[in-house]
Amino acid sequence: ESMLAERARPRRLDPMELAAKGADAGARALPALAGVWPAGGALGGEGRLVQASVPLSVSGFTARTVAELTEALGPVGLVPMQAGGGRRLTPGKLEAGHVEPGSAIGVELVRGDMSMVGTGTVTYIDGATVLAFGHPMFGIGESYLPLVDAEIHAFLPSLAQSFKMSSPLHEIGVLVQDRQTCIIGNLDGRTTMMPVDVRVTGPEGKTRAFHAEVARNRRLTPMLASMVVANAVADAEPDVTDMVASVAGKLTLHGRAPLELDDQIFSAEGISGRLLGGTHGLRALAELMFNPFEPVVVDRVDVDVRIELKRDVADIVGLALPTETVRAGDTVPVRVTLRPFAGAEYVETVRVKIPRAAAGRAVHLEAASGAMARPDVPPAESLGDYIENMRKYYSAASIVVSVQTPDEGAALRGRLIPDLPASALDTLRPGNGTRRADAYRVAERTVFPSKRLITGRQELNVAVVDDVLGHNR
């Protein structure tokens, strides 16, 4: 009765409109993952009932990636299980699958060279409407994900929690509702997924290509894309050892210029999905999904990864100047001490200009890895500004020396205005309006390229004088 009542719930987008408009409509209609439901663990000593978990049939994923998936998806009640295989892709085509009460049906999250499908049972069919599961998938309400029929290979009975092993067969429609009592699908509709293409070049120079498509959902898409990329790397280069990965990500945005971001990362245990999720390209994917301005459709993601089996990393362990004081307006040699792995410490000298306005005061010097330093960018006033800010970053293979002064600048309407006198700042921050200039501390930055990845940071304060004799005016 509760499942049947869900058919009357109004929707933001009619399934037939979704089927007619195709890719763009499906992408724009995707809601946020507004909440998750707690997973009921195995039946323990308390002897209590637990909410049914959804078996997530996965294939093409390494054991390490499956373990990461288990950790990531366990809180929402999905239990990854190795399956027999994926399915042949027939983009945009609805196929004649087998759907009847009691048959297996699945919600597809990943397809292609890798497959990930949440599988359950059909309960009821009324024309093109199908009710299934008898419990939620995620419990996120109106959602648009591909529906597939499935083949059950075997049952794994257990008093604590039983599972089915299955594989997807054909795309048969679209999920339209994911509610606490059931999922609802439309067998006449369809939706799109986001293509993710990964090319991995190993130490020997050989490149392997992987293609997958992932579900379009604000919370799911970044995680699934990271897992696909990490799995491609683990499949191509499975060694759990010291690795330096150069990652070039390209996000093709609908109606906008592509966003291309490069990164370099190091790991002593191989490259994980969590580590890749922190790279500029995949982090930008998550930030775009949650941007505060307007919906963004990412047409596709392309990632090129070059793997080198080495530990070419140095940590910043010291920062020094030749004297205890410096002159305003001078360019001074800042000595940055670096400690590489299994090597002797060495010094890189970075020439940094001391601002004239700092005369008679102290300035704060910081030397940091480019991965830890953040460029000065004004608060975004539009989606265009937001995307442009993402393009500004420093390479992890660089030392960024910052000179921070007590002076204030202002960030106003998407622009930075440095070195402003107090009277100008007061004018830009009137008390009779909300559109004020935001203050920021001015910092001179010098970027010094390195031949290896840099980690860590060091900082010190130094007094600034304004004449040769060292006397302040």
Side-chain angles (χ1 to χ4, degrees):
E1 182 181 356
S2 298
M3 294 172 70
L4 290 170
E6 293 291 352
R7 295 180 301 171
R9 186 184 293 270
R11 299 179 193 137
R12 296 185 299 275
L13 183 66
D14 184 89
M16 296 308 295
E17 179 186 356
L18 177 69
K21 290 187 177 180
D24 290 345
R28 286 194 297 268
L30 292 168
L33 183 59
V36 295
W37 49 279
L43 190 63
E46 299 179 11
R48 59 186 177 85
L49 292 175
V50 297
Q51 186 159 321
S53 296
V54 178
L56 189 68
S57 302
V58 299
S59 63
F61 286 91
T62 65
R64 177 174 180 171
T65 309
V66 172
E68 289 188 37
L69 280 169
T70 301
E71 180 182 353
L73 297 177
V76 293
L78 294 177
V79 182
M81 299 189 64
Q82 291 284 5
R87 65 181 183 87
R88 183 186 299 274
L89 294 185
T90 54
K93 179 182 178 182
L94 289 177
E95 300 166 290
H98 179 72
V99 185
E100 65 179 15
S103 68
I105 194 169
V107 179
E108 202 163 39
L109 301 180
V110 179
R111 64 191 182 194
D113 291 339
M114 306 149 210
S115 176
M116 192 183 302
V117 181
T119 311
T121 305
V122 174
T123 304
Y124 176 85
I125 298 175
D126 180 13
T129 300
V130 56
L131 309 181
F133 282 26
H135 52 78
M137 173 82 171
F138 295 107
I140 57 177
E142 187 172 337
S143 307
Y144 295 91
L145 300 171
L147 282 181
V148 295
D149 63 346
E151 178 182 358
I152 303 299
H153 302 294
F155 290 89
L156 301 179
S158 167
L159 289 176
Q161 209 166 37
S162 297
F163 293 102
K164 309 167 188 174
M165 293 189 67
S166 63
S167 295
L169 296 177
H170 312 93
E171 184 176 358
I172 57 171
V174 59
L175 173 74
V176 295
Q177 294 280 5
D178 180 7
R179 298 293 174 179
Q180 288 299 309
T181 59
C182 65
I183 65 168
I184 302 178
N186 182 274
L187 301 179
D188 290 335
R190 62 184 177 93
T191 189
T192 64
M193 301 181 83
M194 187 184 76
V196 180
D197 281 293
V198 188
R199 289 165 292 277
V200 183
T201 302
E204 74 288 351
K206 182 180 178 181
T207 300
R208 290 186 59 190
F210 300 82
H211 172 75
E213 297 177 358
V214 303
R216 293 184 182 273
N217 181 282
R218 287 205 298 179
R219 293 186 185 273
L220 287 175
T221 302
M223 184 270 291
L224 294 174
S226 297
M227 290 294 180
V228 165
V229 178
N231 190 70
V233 173
D235 193 302
E237 295 296 331
D239 290 355
V240 182
T241 185
D242 295 343
M243 285 186 181
V244 172
S246 300
V247 184
K250 178 180 177 182
L251 278 59
T252 302
L253 309 180
H254 191 76
R256 295 182 178 271
L259 183 59
E260 299 186 49
L261 304 169
D262 297 339
D263 217 333
Q264 287 182 292
I265 54 177
F266 166 77
S267 174
E269 299 292 333
I271 305 300
S272 67
R274 184 177 292 106
L275 193 61
L276 281 163
T279 59
H280 292 299
L282 292 172
R283 191 169 67 236
L285 178 61
E287 291 172 356
L288 284 171
M289 297 287 173
F290 286 93
N291 86 82
F293 298 103
E294 58 185 87
V296 175
V297 176
V298 181
D299 287 336
R300 63 179 298 108
V301 172
D302 291 273
V303 181
D304 286 276
V305 183
R306 180 174 292 275
I307 298 293
E308 297 176 89
L309 301 181
K310 61 181 182 181
R311 189 167 185 161
D312 202 10
V313 180
D315 187 36
I316 299 175
V317 295
L319 180 62
L321 287 169
T323 60
E324 292 185 0
T325 58
V326 296
R327 280 197 309 165
D330 277 4
T331 298
V332 299
V334 178
R335 295 168 56 84
V336 183
T337 304
L338 299 162
R339 180 188 297 149
F341 177 74
E345 291 184 2
Y346 65 98
V347 174
E348 295 283 14
T349 300
V350 183
R351 301 190 66 80
V352 176
K353 185 173 182 179
I354 303 300
R356 289 189 178 276
R361 291 179 287 179
V363 296
H364 183 77
L365 263 66
E366 178 191 81
S369 160
M372 302 176 70
R374 296 289 179 267
D376 283 329
V377 294
E381 298 280 335
S382 66
L383 179 59
D385 294 342
Y386 194 81
I387 293 173
E388 285 306 309
N389 284 351
M390 291 183 186
R391 301 184 197 272
K392 300 171 184 176
Y393 58 91
Y394 300 118
S395 167
S398 67
I399 303 168
V400 179
V401 179
S402 303
V403 182
Q404 192 168 356
T405 71
D407 295 318
E408 283 191 349
L412 178 65
R413 299 188 183 278
R415 297 183 61 188
L416 292 179
I417 310 171
D419 301 325
L420 288 174
S423 59
L425 284 172
D426 290 341
T427 301
L428 289 173
R429 292 196 297 241
N432 61 344
T434 59
R435 299 283 290 190
R436 306 181 184 185
D438 296 318
Y440 78 99
R441 295 293 179 180
V442 177
E444 295 282 344
R445 286 195 171 88
T446 302
V447 181
F448 183 87
S450 171
K451 294 180 180 179
R452 51 169 51 100
L453 294 185
I454 303 298
T455 61
R457 63 156 48 100
Q458 293 290 325
E459 54 191 37
L460 59 83
N461 292 319
V462 60
V464 180
V465 296
D466 62 1
D467 67 349
V468 176
L469 298 177
H471 298 297
N472 296 333
R473 292 180 186 175

